[in-house]
Amino acid sequence: MIPIPTGVRVWLAAGHTDMRCGFPSLALRVQEVLKHDPLGGHLFCFRGKRGDLIKVVWHDGQGACLFTKKLERGRFIWPSAGGGAVAISSAQLSYLLSGIDWRAPQETWRPTRV
């Protein structure tokens, strides 16, 4: 898991992105399309067209980081293409990276003491 410092926002780029892009291309997309500073310390997440690949761009203050995750089964739940960018919490990012629907996670039943 990415150690997300307090106060860091997580942004999902709505729609799909060309996953051949590296950090320079994705940082330019953050700056030009999402209108955010790619070096500001926030996380920016991009999903491929098939939905099973995600790239996360982050500048941690020392350098640029590019994280990639590919699901073996299933797809990442993603906002539609019309929204630009969607802010989510770090907890929702954790669900997203686990392949769980971050919009409405279901609490599992736990036995209670009698």
Side-chain angles (χ1 to χ4, degrees):
M1 183 61 197
I2 302 169
I4 303 173
T6 305
V8 171
R9 300 209 48 196
V10 180
W11 296 93
L12 303 181
H16 65 273
T17 304
D18 183 357
M19 288 289 103
R20 295 174 292 180
C21 294
F23 183 84
S25 299
L26 293 174
L28 182 63
R29 186 165 306 207
V30 168
Q31 187 175 356
E32 298 285 325
V33 177
L34 304 180
K35 307 294 187 206
H36 291 284
D37 179 14
L39 307 179
H42 299 296
L43 280 90
F44 300 95
C45 305
F46 300 90
R47 189 185 83 154
K49 190 172 188 177
R50 290 189 315 196
D52 63 344
L53 183 64
I54 190 173
K55 286 189 177 183
V56 180
V57 172
W58 179 40
H59 193 278
D60 65 358
Q62 296 178 336
C65 303
L66 180 62
F67 300 98
T68 304
K69 182 164 184 176
K70 181 172 175 51
L71 291 178
E72 291 179 8
R73 290 187 320 218
R75 299 182 190 279
F76 291 106
I77 303 297
W78 212 252
S80 63
V86 175
I88 63 172
S89 69
S90 56
Q92 288 173 315
L93 176 64
S94 182
Y95 285 127
L96 173 71
L97 293 176
S98 298
I100 298 171
D101 186 351
W102 55 270
R103 299 169 300 179
Q106 298 295 317
E107 184 175 354
T108 59
W109 178 81
R110 294 184 185 166
T112 58
R113 290 186 176 176
V114 181

